[in-house]
Structure formats: structure tokens, C-alpha cells
């Protein structure tokens, strides 16, 4: 019974390897892939065209931060789906299905179930209360300076870790897929990211994400279709042949389950579920639509597209078992897949459509990283210019022009930093950084956001103390844990025993916010509690909410 | 603005909107969590159920339609919420706001 329970707890948490957005370790550089590079150049030219068009449309700060609120629910849904259909979830889930079969589907489901919850509890209140950043909502009835400072720091920490992981992952992936030098790849990603955000703001960032999402959905649909055609559109045949050729046989049709350390596993599960609702670049997307109605629609479309995409990757993974796993051309001398299991979907595109389609899917995988880092850069820049500069340093007394200027300078600085960090971390294991980003988002951003929307008694003092404790405890426990203290820093024993601390840091954050708020009897706290009712009315009805800007 | 807020708070339609929306959003949240947890419990305590073939001559197991069904279920729940919120709830909201803004 006890071991059953452990298995259960472990299954609640999606595999950490899936979220290892970075392909770490030694990568064997592939020969220069001309068709892939050509198709990637076409994508870059098209997205620079989008950026030029967007720069003509973007004039105000509202255009820059939130595309003027003129993105439709459907477009935003595609963009949100694009944020989730990262290179890692495409290559990673297909790889998991390729190696373990059914388990891949279990993990896909784990990633999807967070979205309905975001719709039911967060999306419309967020849209009704905020304007550019989630700190607008968290600080709605609390003191601007401490809450904005906290939210901005939470956002920047999340953006920094996520960005490093993406940059290193991009470099490795490009080395693997295109045969380009790592440093060239990192500089290329950094420069393009800055160009999109600097000139095109949120409008360009959103349309680059939409373009990439459509290309990826098209490519994945085509692959799934060709896999089904290979078995004459007989799903039963697909599974039957896979069972026949797979080394694990029948086992690929039922749950396997991997067990490590259950506390870490639950922690990671919590981090992924609540972290999604605390990621600044995801939350920011809800401000690009005109009203709560469009915000709801965007989650509906996003959930549908992400679900469809995961079903495709399941078919693609099984297709790879049949068409890649049985073909010695895709394996090295020892019988392992060339480039590792993560390359299963890439090899499958070669098996299906030859080097031309392989080039297309490689280009799309690269485009995916570009689109995701652009959103991150914009989220980081908004935290600095809108929260720190305009509302903390200048206390709200600032012109649109100077706020925009600060934002643009920040984007350039972020771009340079991203390139330098990408190069500095080239040979480090950065897989833990995405998990750390989610842990901080779940332990700092998420608690203050959700409590500010739902809990009347929240006070500035409570949110500040608890939010900082959540942020600091998450980072400190992660550093003292086995991943950084032992694997990266080379110490013999970890001071904090678990790989992922979210379980502890989330509890620390919520508990300290609640206790400190309850004990706060200051007159300021009374005023903040009194302001809950007007906030409640606005969150429910959208009265006074910022709408779409008409030009 | 302050007056509009207290006017809305006293509006019985606002109370109706809040209680209906709360009931729907918490019910649907509970549903997705329960179904997801049930799926996880099945994996933990009776994995052989998901590993059972749907018929003797097929290798397809119950796990496949149940797993794909769960993805569809999540999508359908979001559809139900959006349908009611964009119809009934938005009509109520509009009626409340129209009166205040006159």
C-alpha cells in the first residue's frame, strides 16, 4: 500500500525531464543543413516583415505593452497555445511516447488540466482588474511601492531563469539541427528577440507567436496524418505494429510510471500547476484582448489547440516507434537514436518527408524558441518600466514617452544579458532553471495574485512579507538542494534534501501572507480591506476596466 | 464612481450574478480536479484497468480512450463555462452596468 501511495504521488507530478527545455550535455554537431537554414531564413524575413508592420501600428504605451487590447480571443488563444507548444513539449513528449508509450499521454494530461482552472478562477478577474502587468492586479488596493517592487522582482527572477534555459537550449538545438556554431546561434536568437520586441512591441510578439503556432500545428498535423496513412488509417494497426516492434512490447499500452523521490515529485507537480498561473509572460497575454469575454474565449481556444496538439504528439510518438525505431539509418553503432530520444520527432519528419520536410520541422523548432524568448523579454521589460520605473521610482508621475523609452532600453539590456548568460552557461546543466522559474512563479507571483483577487483580509504587510519569503525560500532551498549544491557546485552532500522545493515554499508563502495579514491591525490595513468591495465589483462586472483602444 | 459601486452591491441582479458564477466556476473546477485525480488514482491503484484490452482481438487498451477522453473533457468544460459566461452572465452584467451608467 505504501509503495502504491508513492507511485500515486509521483504520478501527480509530470516528469522533470520533459521540462528540461534545455538540451544539455554534449551535443554532436550535425552537417550544415541547407534546406533547414533556407526555410529558417524565410521565417525570419516574414517575422521581420510582421515587426515592421507592427511598428507602424504601435504608438502608445498601450500598443507597446498590450497590443492596444485589440487582439481577438481566437488570436490570443493561438498565441497562448504557442507559448505552451514549445520546442521542448513537441520534441520532449514525442520522445517520451517513443520510449515509454502510454506514459507520454499521462504527462500531456498533467500539463493540460491547469488551463480550465485558470479559466474558471483567474482569467476574467485578471482582465477586469489589470492593464499591462499582473502587478496592476496585485497592487490594486494595496500600497504600490512594496507590492510592485515585489512583483517586479518575482517577474524578473522568473524571466531570467527561463531565458537562460531557453538561450542555452536554443544554442544546443541549433547546433544539433542546423550544424551552426553555438555562439552564432545564441547571438542570432538574442538579436532577433531584441528586434521583435524593440520595434514591434506586444503586437509583433503576438503575431510572431501566432505564425509559429500555426506552422507547428500544420507540421505536426501533417506528420500525424502521414503516420495514419502509413497504417492505412487503421488506429488498431498503428498500436498493434508498435507493440510488435517495441522492445517493451505490450507494456507501452499501459501506465508504467517512474519513481524517484515523492516529495520532489509532488513539489514539481505543484510548481507546474500553480506556476503556470504565475508566469508573467502568460498572464500578460490576458491584457492584449478587449474585455473579459475575449479573455474567456482565448482560454477556450488555447485549451482546444493544446489538447489537439498533445493528441498529435501521441500519434507522432507511436509513428516514430514504427518508422524511426525500426530504421537502422537513424541509429548509431550502439543502436541508440542519433542525437538522443529527443530527436525522435525530428527523425520522423525525415522519414516522412525527406530532407525538405526535415528542414521545415527544424526551422519551426527554432522559430518556437524565438517566439517564446520574445514574450519573456517583453514581460521582463514591462516589469522594469511599468512597475519599477513608472510606479515605484517615479510614483506614477511619468509621461508615456519616458516610460516607453525605459522599456526599450531595458529590452536591449536584456538582450545583451541573455546573450552573455547564454554563452556563460554553455556547458552548465541548466535543465533545473525552468523548474526553478516555475517554483518561484508558484511561490511568489501566484500567492499574492490569487489572494489579492479572492481574499478580503489581505494587507500590504502580509503580501510583502509572505511574497518575499516565498521568493527567497524557493531560491535558497533550490540552491542548497541536490541539483545545484551537489551537481553544479560540486559539494558532497545537499543541505536541503529535495530536488524541488515548491511544496515547502508555496506553504511558507501562503501561511506567512495569511498570518501576517491577520495580525495586521494598522489603520492602513483597515483601509485596504475596505477597498476590497469596490475591487470585487469591478472584478465581477468589469466596471472601470481598461478597454480596447480604438484608433 | 463610489456611488456606482454601492449601487451595484445592492442590486439583487449582482447578487444573482455572483452566486451563479461562483457556483459554476467552483463546480467546474471541482469536476476537473476530481476527474483528473480519479484518473491518477486509477493509474496508482489499478493500473491493470487502464492496461486491459478493450476487446480480445485488439491491442488497444482502455487507457487510450480514457486518456484522450480526459483531454476532450477539459476542453468541453471550458466550452460550457465560456458559453454560459459569454451569454447569461454577460447579459446580467450588461443590465447591471447599463442602469449604473445611465
Amino acid at each position: 500500500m505504501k509503495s502504491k501511495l508513492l507511485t500515486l504521488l509521483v504520478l501527480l507530478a509530470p516528469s522533470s525531464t520533459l521540462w528540461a527545455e534545455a538540451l544539455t550535455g554534449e551535443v554532436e554537431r550535425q552537417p550544415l543543413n541547407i534546406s533547414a537554414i533556407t526555410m529558417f531564413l524565410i521565417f525570419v524575413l516574414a517575422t521581420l516583415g510582421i515587426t515592421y508592420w507592427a511598428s507602424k501600428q504601435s504608438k502608445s504605451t498601450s500598443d507597446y505593452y498590450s497590443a492596444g487590447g485589440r487582439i481577438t480571443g481566437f488570436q490570443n488563444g493561438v498565441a497562448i497555445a504557442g507559448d505552451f507548444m514549445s520546442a521542448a513539449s513537441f520534441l520532449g513528449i514525442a520522445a517520451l511516447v517513443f520510449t515509454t508509450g502510454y506514459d507520454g499521454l499521462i504527462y500531456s494530461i498533467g500539463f493540460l488540466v491547469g488551463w480550465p482552472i485558470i479559466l474558471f478562477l483567474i482569467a476574467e478577474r485578471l482582465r477586469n482588474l489589470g492593464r499591462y502587468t499582473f502587478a496592476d492586479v496585485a497592487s490594486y488596493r494595496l500600497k504600490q511601492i512594496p507590492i510592485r517592487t515585489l512583483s517586479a522582482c518575482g517577474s524578473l527572477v522568473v524571466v531570467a531563469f527561463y531565458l537562460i534555459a531557453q538561450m542555452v537550449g536554443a544554442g544546443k538545438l541549433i547546433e544539433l539541427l542546423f550544424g551552426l556554431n553555438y555562439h552564432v546561434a545564441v547571438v542570432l536568437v538574442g538579436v532577433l528577440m531584441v528586434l521583435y520586441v524593440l520595434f514591434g512591441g506586444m503586437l509583433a510578439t503576438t503575431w510572431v507567436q501566432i505564425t509559429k503556432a500555426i506552422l507547428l500545428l500544420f507540421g505536426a498535423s501533417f506528420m500525424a496524418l502521414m503516420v495514419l496513412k502509413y497504417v492505412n488509417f487503421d488506429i488498431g494497426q498503428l498500436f498493434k505494429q508498435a507493440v510488435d516492434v517495441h522492445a517493451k512490447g505490450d507494456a507501452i499500452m499501459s501506465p508504467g510510471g517512474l519513481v524517484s523521490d515523492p516529495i520532489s515529485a509532488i513539489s514539481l507537480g505543484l510548481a507546474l500547476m500553480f506556476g503556470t498561473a504565475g508566469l508573467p509572460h502568460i498572464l500578460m497575454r490576458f491584457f492584449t484582448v478587449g474585455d473579459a469575454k475575449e479573455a474567456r474565449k482565448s482560454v477556450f481556444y488555447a485549451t482546444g489547440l493544446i489538447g489537439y496538439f498533445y493528441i498529435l504528439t501521441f500519434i507522432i510518438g507511436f509513428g516514430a516507434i514504427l518508422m524511426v525505431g525500426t530504421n537502422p539509418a537513424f541509429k548509431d553503432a550502439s543502436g541508440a537514436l542519433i542525437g538522443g530520444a529527443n530527436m525522435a520527432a525530428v527523425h520522423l519528419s525525415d522519414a516522412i518527408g525527406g530532407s525538405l520536410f526535415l528542414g521545415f520541422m527544424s526551422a519551426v523548432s527554432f522559430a518556437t524558441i524565438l517566439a517564446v524568448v520574445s514574450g519573456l523579454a517583453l514581460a521582463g521589460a514591462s516589469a522594469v518600466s511599468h512597475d519599477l520605473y513608472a510606479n515605484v521610482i517615479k510614483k506614477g508621475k511619468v509621461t508615456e514617452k519616458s516610460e516607453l523609452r525605459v522599456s526599450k532600453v531595458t529590452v536591449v539590456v536584456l538582450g545583451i544579458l541573455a546573450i552573455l548568460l547564454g554563452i556563460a552557461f554553455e556547458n552548465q546543466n541548466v535543465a533545473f532553471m525552468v523548474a526553478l522559474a516555475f517554483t518561484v512563479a508558484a511561490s511568489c507571483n501566484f500567492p499574492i495574485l490569487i489572494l489579492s483577487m479572492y481574499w478580503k483580509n489581505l494587507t500590504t504587510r502580509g503580501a510583502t512579507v509572505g511574497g518575499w519569503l516565498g521568493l527567497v525560500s524557493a531560491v535558497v532551498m533550490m540552491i542548497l538542494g541536490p541539483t545545484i549544491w551537489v551537481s553544479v557546485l560540486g559539494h558532497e552532500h545537499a543541505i536541503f534534501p529535495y530536488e524541488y522545493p515548491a511544496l515547502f515554499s508555496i506553504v511558507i508563502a501562503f501561511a506567512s501572507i495569511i498570518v501576517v495579514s491577520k495580525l495586521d491591525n494598522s489603520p492602513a490595513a483597515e483601509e485596504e480591506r475596505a477597498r476590497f468591495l469596490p475591487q470585487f465589483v469591478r472584478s465581477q462586472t468589469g466596471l472601470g476596466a481598461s478597454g480596447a483602444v480604438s484608433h | 464612481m463610489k456611488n456606482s459601486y454601492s449601487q451595484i452591491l445592492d442590486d439583487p441582479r449582482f447578487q444573482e450574478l455572483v452566486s451563479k458564477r461562483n457556483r459554476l466556476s467552483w463546480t467546474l473546477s471541482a469536476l476537473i480536479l476530481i476527474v483528473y485525480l480519479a484518473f491518477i488514482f486509477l493509474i496508482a491503484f489499478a493500473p491493470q484497468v487502464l492496461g486491459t484490452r478493450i476487446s480480445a482481438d485488439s491491442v488497444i487498451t482502455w487507457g487510450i480512450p480514457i486518456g484522450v477522453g480526459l483531454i476532450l473533457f477539459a476542453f468541453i468544460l471550458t466550452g460550457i463555462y465560456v458559453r454560459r459566461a459569454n451569454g447569461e452572465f454577460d447579459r446580467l452584467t450588461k443590465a447591471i452596468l447599463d442602469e449604473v451608467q445611465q
Side-chain angles (χ1 to χ4, degrees):
Chain A
M1 195 64 181
K2 197 174 169 201
S3 74
K4 288 271 191 197
L5 204 69
L6 291 188
T7 324
L8 165 76
L9 296 175
V10 168
L11 284 165
L12 282 163
S15 151
S16 58
T17 51
L18 265 183
W19 281 79
E21 300 239 355
L23 305 168
T24 47
E26 282 301 303
V27 170
E28 195 182 332
R29 199 197 292 182
Q30 303 295 302
L32 215 59
N33 184 336
I34 300 298
S35 63
I37 292 175
T38 313
M39 271 180 270
F40 177 68
L41 285 179
I42 295 172
F43 175 83
V44 168
L45 283 178
T47 49
L48 288 176
I50 290 173
T51 308
Y52 179 74
W53 163 79
S55 71
K56 296 278 161 202
Q57 315 275 315
S58 297
K59 292 187 176 61
S60 63
T61 38
S62 150
D63 290 332
Y64 181 79
Y65 288 128
S66 63
R70 279 166 293 155
I71 302 292
T72 67
F74 178 70
Q75 291 162 352
N76 192 40
V78 179
I80 290 175
D83 276 326
F84 251 57
M85 297 185 297
S86 60
S89 65
F90 176 58
L91 303 177
I93 293 183
L96 195 65
V97 176
F98 176 74
T99 48
T100 65
Y102 189 74
D103 284 353
L105 189 63
I106 300 175
Y107 295 124
S108 303
I109 292 167
F111 293 128
L112 194 72
V113 289
W115 277 104
I117 306 271
I118 289 181
L119 170 67
F120 306 148
L121 300 180
I122 292 179
E124 52 194 285
R125 291 189 181 210
L126 189 71
R127 179 64 194 81
N128 280 340
L129 292 172
R131 215 166 147 219
Y132 300 146
T133 62
F134 84 89
D136 293 342
V137 181
S139 67
Y140 189 86
R141 67 192 156 98
L142 305 181
K143 285 205 188 66
Q144 295 292 312
I145 292 177
I147 300 297
R148 294 244 184 212
T149 311
L150 169 65
S151 311
C153 291
S155 297
L156 286 172
V157 171
V158 171
V159 166
F161 286 121
Y162 217 120
L163 205 52
I164 293 173
Q166 292 283 337
M167 292 303 279
V168 177
K172 302 274 181 193
L173 189 67
I174 291 160
E175 214 170 8
L176 196 65
L177 296 178
F178 292 72
L180 277 179
N181 178 281
Y182 178 87
H183 296 104
V184 174
V186 167
V187 171
L188 199 62
V189 171
V191 169
L192 284 169
M193 166 184 101
V194 169
L195 288 179
Y196 295 151
V197 180
L198 191 61
F199 296 106
M202 189 47 148
L203 192 58
T205 307
T206 303
W207 278 101
V208 169
Q209 190 62 273
I210 292 174
T211 310
K212 161 245 141 168
I214 292 171
L215 289 174
L216 184 55
L217 279 170
F218 167 78
S221 300
F222 179 72
M223 283 173 79
L225 187 72
M226 295 309 281
V227 166
L228 292 176
K229 184 165 171 273
Y230 183 81
V231 291
N232 293 317
F233 298 97
D234 181 350
I235 291 274
Q237 272 300 312
L238 173 67
F239 293 126
K240 189 178 178 314
Q241 292 185 24
V243 167
D244 287 344
V245 301
H246 201 283
K248 291 181 181 157
D250 257 339
I252 60 170
M253 297 304 289
S254 38
L258 25 142
V259 179
S260 58
D261 143 35
I263 301 274
S264 297
I266 311 169
S267 267
L268 187 65
L270 284 177
L272 295 179
M273 203 169 188
F274 298 132
T276 307
L279 290 177
H281 65 293
I282 297 274
L283 295 173
M284 192 177 65
R285 292 218 174 276
F286 288 102
F287 304 121
T288 65
V289 293
D291 52 27
K293 179 183 235 136
E294 296 299 313
R296 291 179 207 121
K297 277 194 209 163
S298 47
V299 187
F300 171 67
Y301 291 120
T303 311
L305 288 172
I306 296 169
Y308 170 67
F309 179 74
Y310 284 150
I311 292 174
L312 292 180
T313 50
F314 191 59
I315 298 173
I316 289 169
F318 270 91
I321 294 175
L322 293 190
M323 300 164 77
V324 174
T326 56
N327 189 340
F330 297 122
K331 294 183 173 178
D332 61 20
S334 68
L337 212 55
I338 296 172
N342 275 324
M343 294 295 281
V346 176
H347 289 316
L348 181 65
S349 64
D350 191 6
I352 283 172
S355 67
L356 201 66
F357 190 60
L358 169 70
F360 176 78
M361 288 314 290
S362 304
V364 170
S365 302
F366 190 4
T368 288
I369 292 178
L370 270 182
V372 174
V373 293
S374 306
L376 286 168
L378 186 58
S382 313
V384 171
S385 59
H386 183 62
D387 295 329
L388 287 183
Y389 174 74
N391 285 297
V392 173
I393 298 174
K394 293 285 180 183
K395 305 197 169 55
K397 293 181 191 69
V398 62
T399 61
E400 281 207 355
K401 216 172 143 192
S402 65
E403 187 177 331
L404 259 184
R405 198 172 52 235
V406 170
S407 194
K408 293 190 167 181
V409 171
T410 312
V411 171
V412 176
V413 173
L414 276 177
I416 295 169
L417 268 177
I419 292 171
L420 292 179
L421 290 170
I423 291 169
F425 282 88
E426 177 180 354
N427 295 315
Q428 303 292 322
N429 183 345
V430 295
F432 67 89
M433 285 192 181
V434 172
L436 182 54
F438 271 80
T439 306
V440 171
S443 322
C444 172
N445 304 358
F446 173 72
I448 56 175
L449 179 65
I450 192 96
L451 289 176
S452 73
M453 293 195 290
Y454 280 88
W455 194 45
K456 179 176 181 283
N457 290 323
L458 179 73
T459 71
T460 302
R461 200 180 291 168
T464 313
V465 171
W468 280 110
L469 278 176
L471 173 60
V472 172
S473 64
V475 174
V476 168
M477 286 191 274
M478 194 85 187
I479 290 174
L480 298 181
T483 356
I484 301 184
W485 196 252
V486 178
S487 311
V488 178
L489 298 175
H491 294 276
E492 205 168 317
H493 296 290
I495 298 174
F496 178 76
Y498 305 109
E499 236 176 309
Y500 301 103
L503 180 61
F504 302 95
S505 54
I506 290 175
V507 171
I508 288 174
F510 273 101
S512 48
I513 292 175
I514 290 171
V515 169
V516 176
S517 294
K518 281 273 186 197
L519 293 176
D520 188 356
N521 291 319
S522 61
E526 282 312 311
E527 281 170 36
E528 285 160 2
R529 289 182 187 119
R531 282 198 288 267
F532 183 75
L533 275 182
Q535 178 196 315
F536 181 69
V537 170
R538 174 164 163 175
S539 74
Q540 292 281 351
T541 61
L543 177 67
S546 64
V549 181
S550 49
H551 283 270
Chain B
M1 206 59 136
K2 197 164 174 62
N3 287 332
S4 341
Y5 284 132
S6 50
Q7 194 183 333
I8 290 178
L9 273 173
D10 294 337
D11 192 330
R13 283 172 303 187
F14 180 71
Q15 312 293 342
E16 184 192 343
L17 173 71
V18 170
S19 70
K20 275 188 174 170
R21 176 150 52 204
N22 275 347
R23 203 177 317 136
L24 182 68
S25 55
W26 289 109
T27 310
L28 293 181
S29 299
L31 260 180
I32 186 81
L33 278 177
I34 289 168
V35 171
Y36 178 60
L37 285 176
F39 177 66
I40 297 297
F41 271 79
L42 207 56
I43 291 166
F45 294 102
Q48 68 281 4
V49 173
L50 292 173
T52 313
R53 296 181 172 197
I54 52 174
S55 69
D57 53 348
S58 165
V59 296
I60 297 180
T61 53
W62 278 108
I64 306 281
I66 290 174
V68 174
L70 235 167
I71 292 178
L72 293 177
F73 183 69
F75 180 56
I76 290 166
L77 286 193
T78 60
I80 292 172
Y81 183 83
V82 169
R83 203 185 148 81
R84 267 196 80 189
N86 283 2
E88 188 187 348
F89 297 164
D90 274 359
R91 272 196 300 278
L92 263 172
T93 309
K94 194 171 175 301
I96 297 165
L97 288 180
D98 279 351
E99 197 172 298
V100 173
Q101 281 160 350
Q102 259 168 18

